[in-house]
Amino acid sequence: MTKLVVPIFVTTAAPAITAMPLAVAAGADMVELRCDLAEASVIRQVLAARRKIKLGHGHLGVILTIRSATEGGGFVGSDDTLAGLYQQAMLGPDAPEFVDVELQVWRRSPAIRNVLTNATGPQGSSGSQLIVSSHDWTECPTDLDAVLTTMYEVHAAAIFKLVWKAHSILDGVRALALYARHAAGDARQFLCLAMGEPGVISRLLAAKFAAPFNFATAESQGGSAPGQPSLAQLKNLYRWTSQRKSTRVFGVVGWPVGHSISPVIHNAGFTAIDFDGVYVPLAVEPGYDKFCAALDAIRQCPGLNPGGVSVTIPHKHHALRYVLERGGTMDDMARHIGAINTILFALDGTMTGLNTDYAGALIALTCAMGVDQSGLREKQVAVLGAGGAARAIVAGLAAWEAEVTIFNRGIDKAAALAGEFNGRIGMVCAVPMERLREHVYDIYINCTPVGMSPNTTASPVPDDIPWNRQTVVFDTVYNPHETQMLQLARSRGSVVVHGVEMLIQQALLQFTGFTGQPAPESAMRQAALAALNIG
Ligand code: NAP
């Protein structure tokens, strides 16, 4: 099992001694004592205190790390002084379970090699095990094979740890791909992490790749180091204890994706049906070339076993093009819409594109109306906005023979969208926004961001719009839950459809695509509402 390690920076003894039980209470399996700035007596005091902290059948295990300033740490003494600190720490019964040394320090200092070779390993005097680390604080090393080969020369090492700074998700995927290369080269344990937000996938999936340990913060929100998740996030959100080699990986591709609640919704669904999957954020920069590079890397990463991705702004058009260019399939509706929000990866390497946005919106709408989709026939619908969400919803409505009028602040865009669908899959026209009040429609759907947090007092419709008890008003905005527009609709007794319903329904459809099983609606709905603070 991959142990979760909380780093504690030690300068004086008391704060570190207080922090250790707190880390255990937050769910840590071990702590890393970062003693770059601590004196030998302080290190010994803290090591002795940790033996009194019970964990399972034994006591709290520690990794002792003293990182030199030359290797990105804070220790400024000589290598001989460092060797002396390690030696003193490993004397007696309080010796740390693991000692971490930087590869470059090991290579350049005979004194450190001597101390650590004598003290660590099965025949060593301390019982400690040696971790050999290599950090690149600027980028992913270009010759990873050379780094691995050099590490393997440290025969005393029990564990290798390779860390680099990530500049894009590709650097995170490279870290995961390295597990297979390491397994082919050496039987000892291996941990590979890509630092920073772009590399977070390497931290979120370390348990799936059977890393010996992974670092996490004890704070509930995470983040003492950029990209470092919290214990709570790993355990409660990213299914840490359920991850294993066979686990299929899913995620949401977008830029940005940090705000997405899709990981919360889908992971809750996986847990509810005990599905062997995990769902993570996949931040991919704008641009078709970036999208292709990320998706190709994810699909080809050995051992990753990707099952599919949700796709959000700005990549929905890219996703459609990608699936078609690589020989994948999708239904006619997705092609008409010209964008997809889901890609399914089959085990044989084939791909299927789906658009669950339009289907989710129609389900949300028809459920609130108490009809099935045929109940949309000849309904007069006003769609506000002519962007991506409007496009999917207009296509769905037109296909079910509703009569759609698009209103947009820029009439040209509305006219172009109407022109694409009118007469092809239904009746669609475009009208300038100023004429919204001239006609009473059966259904109004807001597909603009107007009213969205933080501009919650804004509304896309005038207060004197002629709504009544027969009108259906659907706002795709879901933050806030009840927008100004929906409050107005409620005051008129109209049927109200919340944006979160579309969000939930499209996720349920994705989930069935991902897993081949019915989505556990109640668990996924509960997770979505809780994440959005909707009571
Ligand atoms: P988009 O492609 O950027 O389109 C935005 C549309 O809104 C455009 O037609 C734009 O008009 C119009 N617009 C933007 N700001 C406006 C303003 N201040 N006043 C009037 N019109 C304005 O965005 P999208 O992907 O379609 O998303 C639109 C909204 O739909 C999002 O903000 C989100 O709240 C919602 N949405 C919800 C879900 C869900 O699951 N509930 C899913 C997707 C989207 P111009 O063409 O003139 O710029």
Side-chain angles (χ1 to χ4, degrees):
M1 196 192 82
T2 304
K3 291 193 157 64
L4 285 174
V5 181
V6 168
I8 294 174
F9 287 82
V10 184
T11 45
T12 54
I17 291 170
T18 307
M20 287 189 293
L22 293 178
V24 172
D29 302 309
M30 285 201 314
V31 296
E32 179 193 35
L33 298 176
R34 277 293 300 266
C35 294
D36 309 7
L37 303 175
E39 291 175 0
S41 60
V42 170
I43 298 173
R44 280 205 307 275
Q45 237 180 303
V46 178
L47 286 172
R50 78 88 168 58
R51 275 171 62 88
K52 299 195 185 98
I53 302 170
K54 298 286 169 230
L55 193 62
H57 298 297
H59 59 256
L60 175 65
V62 301
I63 301 171
L64 172 66
T65 304
I66 309 173
R67 183 104 49 235
S68 291
T70 53
E71 313 305 326
F75 179 77
V76 289
S78 68
D79 287 343
D80 286 354
T81 309
L82 183 56
L85 282 173
Y86 276 128
Q87 189 165 34
Q88 290 182 58
M90 288 188 291
L91 286 175
D94 300 327
E97 283 64 30
F98 297 94
V99 178
D100 184 313
V101 68
E102 194 74 20
L103 178 64
Q104 294 311 322
V105 173
W106 171 275
R107 296 187 79 205
R108 75 173 177 233
S109 169
I112 286 176
R113 284 202 298 277
N114 190 32
V115 163
L116 294 179
T117 306
N118 288 336
T120 62
Q123 267 77 54
S125 56
S126 68
S128 303
Q129 289 191 293
L130 184 63
I131 301 167
V132 169
S133 293
S134 175
H135 290 77
D136 190 319
W137 302 96
T138 56
E139 62 184 0
C140 177
T142 43
D143 192 349
L144 287 168
D145 283 331
V147 179
L148 287 179
T149 304
T150 313
M151 286 184 128
Y152 297 157
E153 286 166 5
V154 184
H155 299 295
I159 296 175
F160 300 111
K161 185 177 115 198
L162 189 46
V163 184
W164 58 71
K165 182 174 160 68
H167 292 278
S168 79
I169 191 168
L170 295 180
D171 289 331
V173 179
R174 279 185 193 114
L176 297 175
L178 207 60
Y179 283 90
R181 254 152 95 186
H182 164 72
D186 196 286
R188 286 171 284 180
Q189 289 188 292
F190 182 65
L191 168 66
C192 193
L193 298 174
M195 289 181 289
E197 284 298 338
V200 71
I201 187 175
S202 66
R203 297 182 186 272
L204 301 184
L205 298 177
K208 172 181 161 65
F209 285 83
F213 49 80
N214 186 22
F215 298 94
T217 63
E219 294 82 36
S220 57
Q221 293 309 307
S224 80
Q228 195 174 96
S230 70
L231 292 167
Q233 285 169 332
L234 288 174
K235 289 187 177 202
N236 303 337
L237 176 53
Y238 295 110
R239 314 197 70 227
W240 188 251
T241 54
S242 302
Q243 287 185 31
R244 47 185 181 261
K245 195 175 171 192
S246 59
T247 299
R248 296 205 81 185
V249 174
F250 303 84
V252 51
V253 176
W255 187 271
V257 285
H259 66 287
S260 172
I261 64 163
S262 294
V264 174
I265 302 176
H266 286 286
N267 283 321
F270 293 154
T271 300
I273 66 164
D274 201 16
F275 181 81
D276 187 13
V278 63
Y279 188 106
V280 295
L282 302 165
V284 176
E285 290 163 79
Y288 185 57
D289 54 336
K290 297 279 196 297
F291 183 84
C292 292
L295 269 279
D296 285 347
I298 287 166
R299 290 172 59 220
Q300 288 156 17
C301 177
L304 187 63
N305 197 12
V309 289
S310 311
V311 183
T312 186
I313 291 169
H315 290 304
K316 290 184 184 184
H317 296 86
H318 299 153
L320 177 127
R321 186 174 157 195
Y322 179 82
V323 170
L324 292 178
E325 282 184 2
R326 281 163 177 67
T329 56
M330 66 188 62
D331 63 20
D332 286 345
M333 185 58 96
R335 285 174 199 258
H336 282 313
I337 294 168
I340 55 174
N341 71 334
T342 315
I343 308 177
L344 310 179
F345 305 133
L347 292 172
D348 64 5
T350 57
M351 278 185 287
T352 307
L354 306 175
N355 189 313
T356 69
D357 279 337
Y358 91 86
L362 292 198
I363 292 171
L365 181 61
T366 52
C367 281
M369 293 167 66
V371 298
D372 64 17
Q373 277 146 344
S374 64
L376 294 170
R377 191 159 180 267
E378 293 179 2
K379 286 277 183 284
Q380 299 200 335
V381 188
V383 172
L384 314 182
R391 191 181 175 78
I393 289 175
V394 167
L397 290 166
W400 285 99
E401 297 181 39
E403 294 168 13
V404 184
T405 304
I406 305 171
F407 295 87
N408 197 44
R409 62 180 177 183
I411 184 65
D412 292 351
K413 197 165 163 185
L417 181 56
E420 273 191 62
F421 294 121
N422 191 36
R424 230 164 33 107
I425 57 169
M427 289 174 60
V428 186
C429 66
V431 170
M433 193 63 108
E434 306 80 70
R435 292 178 49 197
L436 182 63
R437 284 165 57 248
E438 287 180 9
H439 184 84
V440 182
Y441 295 86
D442 301 310
I443 301 169
Y444 292 76
I445 307 178
N446 176 36
C447 297
T448 77
V450 179
M452 191 164 79
S453 179
N455 302 314
T456 54
T457 54
S459 171
V461 298
D463 282 351
D464 59 353
I465 193 158
W467 288 345
N468 57 43
R469 298 179 70 80
Q470 277 70 50
T471 315
V472 178
V473 181
F474 176 9
D475 199 340
T476 64
V477 171
Y478 56 82
N479 182 16
H481 180 52
E482 189 122 331
T483 57
Q484 198 71 29
M485 173 170 136
L486 291 186
Q487 288 174 32
L488 179 65
R490 197 177 286 287
S491 73
R492 302 279 172 80
S494 309
V495 176
V496 163
V497 189
H498 293 101
V500 72
E501 279 307 312
M502 172 179 171
L503 183 73
I504 292 170
Q505 294 301 337
Q506 64 81 26
L508 297 176
L509 294 167
Q510 280 184 331
F511 188 92
T512 298
F514 289 154
T515 62
Q517 299 185 43
E521 179 167 348
S522 156
M524 292 174 71
R525 175 181 297 279
Q526 233 180 326
L529 298 181
L532 293 169
N533 288 321
I534 299 172

